[in-house]
Each structure stands twice: as structure tokens, then as C-alpha cells.
Amino acid sequence: RGIGKSFVALDMMRAITTQKPFLGLPTLSRQSVLYVDGEMQLSEIRQRAIAMGIPRIGDRANFISAEDFFEQFGRYVNLNGPEDQASLLKTLRNYAMKENDPYLIIFDNISSLCKGNLDSATSTEEDYSFLEFLRKLRHFGYSALTVTHDGKDVLRGPRRTSKQEDFVDVSI
């Protein structure tokens, strides 16, 4: 916790929305990105975005915070649940109609966006609904970056299960 995962994800967003290099690597084209955050307040996300050179919000850079979700629905987001998955798909359709369909969706972080036991070796099938949702997003042509916590015991390795790795192309 607190080692810069969100800053790396935001820097990737900056690179993609501005067509500037990311970690010294070129960005091929300027694209839209949707950043879904489960921890920070929207004002904090905006401050970080401005400080990092992310363009004006709504101009290829879009954010959904837990705060936004709570204000709209009166509850915290749970992307393991079909209602919240449907809400996000509706949001994506709205972006597509405005020709601002995101090239990348960043989910920061899974622990706060998904209720259940996704990070545990005792996870149930119900806990994997978000992973199936990621598969659906891929089917619709979206790329996703998920930010997760590795856990407190570095000797035990990541606190996610191997099944989570089945749904990703790259894990860093």
C-alpha cells in the first residue's frame, strides 16, 4: 500500500490520452481512457490528474469514482454484482455514442471495487463475477488494466489466486 500503483496507472492514462511516452516507450496514438477508482475522492483524482498533465477531463480522460457511484446509486460500487456491471456497460455505451469510447479502462483497485473474497485462496465462483465481466469487456473490444494489492507478506507472493491470472494478458 502506498508504493505508487495509482500513480503508475495515471501515468499510463496520461501517456495514452496525450500520445506521449510511457516509461520511455512511445505511445502509438492518442486514445480515450476511463479510470474507475474505488478509493479516492473525485477531487483528489482530479488534482493528481492535473499535476500529471492529463488533459481536461472529458477530453479523452474520464473518471468514475466511488464517490460518484455512491451519489448516483446510494451505495458503494460492487463490480462483482450484475447491477453495477450493467451500469458500467451503460456508461460505456454513452461514451461510444459521444465518440469518446475508451481504448483502455483502468480499475483501481480491485479490493475496493469488488465485494467478496476475490483476493483469497478461498474464493467462491460468485466472487469471480468480475473476472467474467473482464472477459465480456474484452469481447466488446475493450482493454482493461486492473490495479491490485499484493498483500502484506511479500514472501507469500500476491494475494490473488491463480484463477485471476487466467483472465489477463500481462501481469506486472
Side-chain angles (χ1 to χ4, degrees):
R1 186 162 172 85
I3 61 169
K5 295 178 296 295
S6 297
F7 281 109
V8 171
L10 283 167
D11 193 43
M12 181 180 283
M13 179 185 209
R14 178 208 48 81
I16 293 169
T17 58
T18 62
Q19 196 177 352
K20 305 280 182 182
F22 174 69
L23 300 176
L25 301 170
T27 306
L28 300 178
S29 63
R30 187 172 175 245
Q31 300 288 336
S32 295
V33 177
L34 174 62
Y35 196 101
V36 182
D37 187 276
E39 291 182 324
M40 292 188 289
Q41 292 184 343
L42 188 56
S43 60
E44 185 180 358
I45 296 169
R46 285 186 174 143
Q47 286 174 345
R48 285 186 180 189
I50 290 167
M52 296 183 76
I54 293 174
R56 185 175 47 88
I57 293 175
D59 180 27
R60 299 194 187 269
N62 294 288
F63 296 89
I64 298 174
S65 71
E67 175 185 20
D68 292 330
F69 198 88
F70 191 83
E71 286 178 10
Q72 187 172 356
F73 298 105
R75 59 186 159 72
Y76 292 106
V77 65
N78 176 21
L79 290 175
N80 264 347
E83 289 177 63
D84 295 352
Q85 291 174 7
S87 295
L88 184 56
L89 287 173
K90 182 179 178 184
T91 299
L92 292 171
R93 281 192 296 276
N94 289 337
Y95 284 134
M97 288 190 307
K98 296 176 186 175
E99 296 184 13
N100 198 16
D101 210 14
Y103 171 78
L104 175 67
I105 305 168
I106 298 172
F107 295 98
D108 186 4
N109 74 53
I110 302 309
S111 306
S112 57
L113 291 171
C114 297
K115 290 181 185 172
N117 213 12
L118 189 61
D119 289 333
S120 169
T122 60
S123 299
T124 65
E125 286 304 311
E126 184 177 292
D127 295 324
Y128 288 105
S129 177
F130 177 69
L131 299 178
E132 291 295 333
F133 182 61
L134 289 177
R135 183 183 289 176
K136 184 183 289 187
L137 290 174
R138 183 188 298 174
H139 173 75
F140 291 143
Y142 295 104
S143 296
L145 169 70
T146 59
V147 177
T148 62
H149 292 293
D150 273 346
K152 295 179 170 97
D153 186 351
V154 294
L155 297 176
R156 292 180 62 195
R159 67 179 177 180
R160 62 189 169 274
T161 62
S162 62
K163 186 166 184 172
Q164 286 176 283
E165 297 293 327
D166 294 343
F167 293 84
V168 299
D169 293 321
V170 176
S171 178
I172 300 172

